[in-house]
Amino acid sequence: MSNDQGEALEGLHEKKFAIGASDAIATAGSCFAQHIARNLRLKGFNVVDSEPAPRFLNANTAEKFGFGVYSARFGNVYYVRQLLQLAQEAFGEREPSNWIWEKDGRYYDALRPSVEPDGLDSPESVREHRQQHLAAVRRMVESATVLVFTFGLTEGWVDRVSETVFPTAPGTISGDFDSDVFEFKNFDYAEILADFQELRLLLHRHNPELKFIVTVSPVALAATATDNHVLVATTYSKAVLRAVTGELARLYPDVDYFPSFEIITGSQAKGRFWDDTLRGVSPEGVNTVMRHFFRSYPPVAVSPPAKELESAEGVLCEEALLEVFGE
């Protein structure tokens, strides 16, 4: 096996299944998953967009509000339980608690706070938007043939009573932190493995043919809520996630592990794939990961963009959206 500073790495990955022109690829996960989704589109893959931007939004505004970043407008999904609870809610198996947060008179969906940077004007608007989102998640699950999911973190915040998990700490984007209501949780190996196994079973009940490509984000933690140094916390988090993804790929023929983490962090890279922060991945690093990805999953013939999955149930009328985003 060659070891050439990340340019070739022959034998790095042996795919379990092919991705063809007829496959519909859904993407979700931590921030690194955004690179995968964008590059798949550029190479002509049929990437699911079940929650497309209104036609009147320009590209920059659409991205700011979470449109087109992933296959539905859920923002970053940092840990598996977050995606599991979203799927459970979308298919009527779970009702989240304490999920509408307020800040400066504006209201936010605490389960995806970043997709409404300025918040909404009432709790009722938040509920309406969430129903549209859940319909989009159902369409995504039912239409996809492959789900690419990037495992990002083990650290999260949980409602003490309902165990509803949140992607950000209360009081950061919105809401207020109350230690009697919320608690920090660092998910361990057994919990993450069990969460993905439950997620896989749930999704297969609604789409038995769905396959999975799992990756681990190489992006380091910016901070930690543990008592450890952030470097130690990062190493723990990534080691646990890497162990879980490896076990999932060993157990299930429909789960494939792609080693983006190793391409960026391995000794052969000599640290050259980090950006100036030394925790984010540089454009060269992203390009190298995707080059290896497309060696395993060769690009299909360039085709028109994936059909936007719309329905009367799942799309807010443009008049209502104009009230949110402006003319």
Side-chain angles (χ1 to χ4, degrees), residues 67-134:
F67 290 104
V69 179
Y70 302 108
S71 288
R73 193 169 162 241
F74 29 61
N76 290 338
V77 179
Y78 292 110
Y79 33 93
V80 177
R81 189 162 300 177
Q82 192 183 343
L83 185 60
L84 171 61
Q85 290 189 356
L86 173 60
Q88 290 171 330
E89 183 187 2
F91 288 103
E93 298 182 15
R94 179 182 177 83
E95 184 70 30
S97 299
N98 195 23
W99 61 275
I100 299 178
W101 294 351
E102 183 269 342
K103 182 177 182 180
D104 299 329
R106 303 292 288 176
Y107 297 87
Y108 297 78
D109 181 344
L111 303 175
R112 50 174 196 149
S114 63
V115 305
E116 294 290 349
D118 304 316
L120 296 172
D121 60 2
S122 69
E124 291 72 24
S125 294
V126 177
R127 292 188 186 94
E128 181 184 9
H129 278 244
R130 185 147 193 89
Q131 289 306 309
Q132 309 302 322
H133 175 59
L134 295 175

Side-chain angles (χ1 to χ4, degrees), residues 168 182 187 265 279 312 319:
T168 60
F182 306 105
F187 293 95
T265 65
R279 58 175 293 269
E319 289 80 4

Side-chain angles (χ1 to χ4, degrees), residues 58-316:
N58 63 45
N60 289 337
T61 303
E63 183 175 356
K64 176 183 176 183
F65 284 85
F67 290 104
V69 179
Y70 302 108
S71 288
R73 193 169 162 241
F74 29 61
N76 290 338
V77 179
Y78 292 110
Y79 33 93
V80 177
R81 189 162 300 177
Q82 192 183 343
L83 185 60
L84 171 61
Q85 290 189 356
L86 173 60
Q88 290 171 330
E89 183 187 2
F91 288 103
E93 298 182 15
R94 179 182 177 83
E95 184 70 30
S97 299
N98 195 23
W99 61 275
I100 299 178
W101 294 351
E102 183 269 342
K103 182 177 182 180
D104 299 329
R106 303 292 288 176
Y107 297 87
Y108 297 78
D109 181 344
L111 303 175
R112 50 174 196 149
S114 63
V115 305
E116 294 290 349
D118 304 316
L120 296 172
D121 60 2
S122 69
E124 291 72 24
S125 294
V126 177
R127 292 188 186 94
E128 181 184 9
H129 278 244
R130 185 147 193 89
Q131 289 306 309
Q132 309 302 322
H133 175 59
L134 295 175
V137 172
R138 290 192 295 272
R139 294 194 298 274
M140 180 193 80
V141 170
E142 292 165 353
S143 65
T145 57
V146 179
L147 172 63
V148 181
F149 181 70
T150 297
F151 288 58
L153 299 174
T154 58
E155 297 187 15
W157 295 91
V158 183
D159 181 271
R160 288 181 180 272
V161 175
S162 68
E163 298 186 346
T164 299
V165 296
F166 304 99
T168 60
T172 51
I173 295 178
S174 61
D176 297 296
F177 182 75
D178 183 342
S179 60
D180 291 332
V181 178
F182 306 105
E183 66 178 344
F184 168 73
K185 183 170 182 60
N186 202 6
F187 293 95
D188 62 27
Y189 172 92
E191 290 172 317
I192 298 169
L193 180 65
D195 283 346
F196 194 92
Q197 289 173 317
E198 186 175 354
L199 172 68
R200 175 178 171 272
L201 289 174
L202 188 161
L203 297 183
H204 277 170
R205 287 200 295 273
H206 300 278
N207 184 349
E209 303 305 315
L210 185 64
K211 299 183 289 292
F212 305 86
I213 298 174
V214 295
T215 66
V216 173
S217 171
V219 178
L221 278 68
T224 178
T226 69
D227 294 329
N228 294 319
H229 188 282
V230 67
L231 178 61
V232 175
T234 293
T235 302
Y236 168 84
S237 181
K238 301 303 180 180
V240 168
L241 296 176
R242 178 61 187 91
V244 169
T245 52
E247 180 67 357
L248 290 168
R250 186 188 71 82
L251 288 173
Y252 303 111
D254 53 26
V255 179
D256 196 5
Y257 172 76
F258 181 77
S260 55
F261 179 81
E262 288 83 348
I263 294 171
I264 299 300
T265 65
S267 59
Q268 85 292 333
K270 298 184 178 180
R272 65 193 178 98
F273 293 145
W274 300 115
D275 64 15
D276 291 342
T277 69
L278 297 182
R279 58 175 293 269
V281 179
S282 68
E284 180 188 5
V286 172
N287 291 338
T288 301
V289 167
M290 296 312 304
R291 200 157 54 240
H292 285 287
F293 186 93
F294 292 131
R295 284 176 180 166
S296 289
Y297 305 101
V300 297
V302 175
S303 58
K307 184 179 184 298
E308 295 175 348
L309 302 173
E310 298 185 356
S311 72
E313 172 192 18
V315 179
L316 287 167

